């Protein structure tokens, strides 16, 4: 079975400050990990993905994430927050054994203060 | 040009009614999904179809019946709607190798049962 835990349902950051969103996964087989962003009243958009190549993954809008197997983590970061980063962020896991089934974490809402 | 389109975007209906949500993708993907997002933003997979065949059927009441007339369409029919069915329903698609490419999501259908 696979699962994802996102620590912190809400994160508040100041504009220009570091954004750090935490994601820990559980998987009995090598995982594939994703971060999605959901803007208000919209669908989910893929930010970045880890698929067993480089452990440091760069995505859109200046976000990046690092896969750490020893810590079973895939935390998302952005050096400098922008007002447009205010959204809900979801970490997700799947694997070949899971048959394409994406399992999502509970989401983290990011609030950016001016 | 929309990659995954869902209709309707909003649906308000009374308890006991039967309703359908339609989904179409123009990406040439062979796998489609329905996800339910509850009021706490938690996303849970409901169904998955690959080339018109059901491959994932999570624990969903049998009042929910998906139908895939072809690999570009996956509709969701709900009988005898209940208050607890109120949620946002997302359609998504991927290639069978979706573990590597991630999903493409539609913008969601907000269902409100009154």
């Amino acid at each position: 079975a696979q699962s994802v835990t996102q620590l912190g349902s809400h994160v508040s950051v100041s504009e220009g400050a570091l954004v750090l969103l935490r994601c820990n996964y559980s998987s009995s087989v090598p995982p594939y990990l994703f971060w999605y962003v959901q803007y208000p009243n919209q669908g989910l958009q893929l930010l970045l993905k880890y698929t067993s190549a480089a452990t440091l993954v760069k995505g859109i809008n200046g976000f990046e994430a690092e896969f750490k197997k020893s810590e079973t983590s895939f935390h998302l970061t952005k050096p400098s927050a922008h007002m447009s980063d205010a959204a809900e962020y979801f970490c997700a896991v799947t694997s070949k054994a899971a048959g394409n089934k994406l399992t999502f974490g509970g989401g983290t809402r990011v609030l950016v203060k001016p | 040009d929309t990659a995954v389109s869902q209709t309707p975007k909003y649906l308000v209906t009374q308890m006991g009614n039967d309703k359908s949500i339609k989904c179409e993708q123009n990406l040439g993907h062979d796998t489609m999904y329905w996800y339910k997002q509850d009021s706490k933003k938690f996303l849970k997979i409901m169904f998955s179809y690959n080339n018109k065949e059901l491959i994932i059927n999570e624990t969903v009441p049998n009042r929910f019946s998906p139908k895939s007339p072809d690999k570009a369409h996956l509709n969701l029919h709900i009988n005898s709607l209940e208050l607890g069915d109120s949620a946002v329903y997302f359609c998504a698609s991927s290639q069978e190798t979706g573990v590597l490419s991630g999903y493409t999501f539609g913008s969601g259908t907000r269902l409100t049962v009154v």
Side-chain angles (χ1 to χ4, degrees), chain A residues 12-23:
Chain A
S12 182
V13 299
S14 297
E15 194 172 17
L18 171 73
V19 179
L20 170 61
L21 305 183
R22 299 179 188 275
C23 171

Side-chain angles (χ1 to χ4, degrees), chain A residues 88-105:
Chain A
E88 191 91 24
Y89 292 80
F90 293 92
C91 184
V93 65
T94 188
S95 66
K96 288 183 180 177
N100 290 351
K101 175 181 165 182
L102 261 184
T103 298
F104 285 87

Side-chain angles (χ1 to χ4, degrees), chain B residues 36-39 83-89 109-112:
Chain B
K36 179 180 180 180
Q37 186 175 46
D38 64 23
S39 59
L83 292 177
D85 298 332
S86 295
V88 181
Y89 292 85
T109 295
R110 183 175 295 275
L111 172 64
T112 304

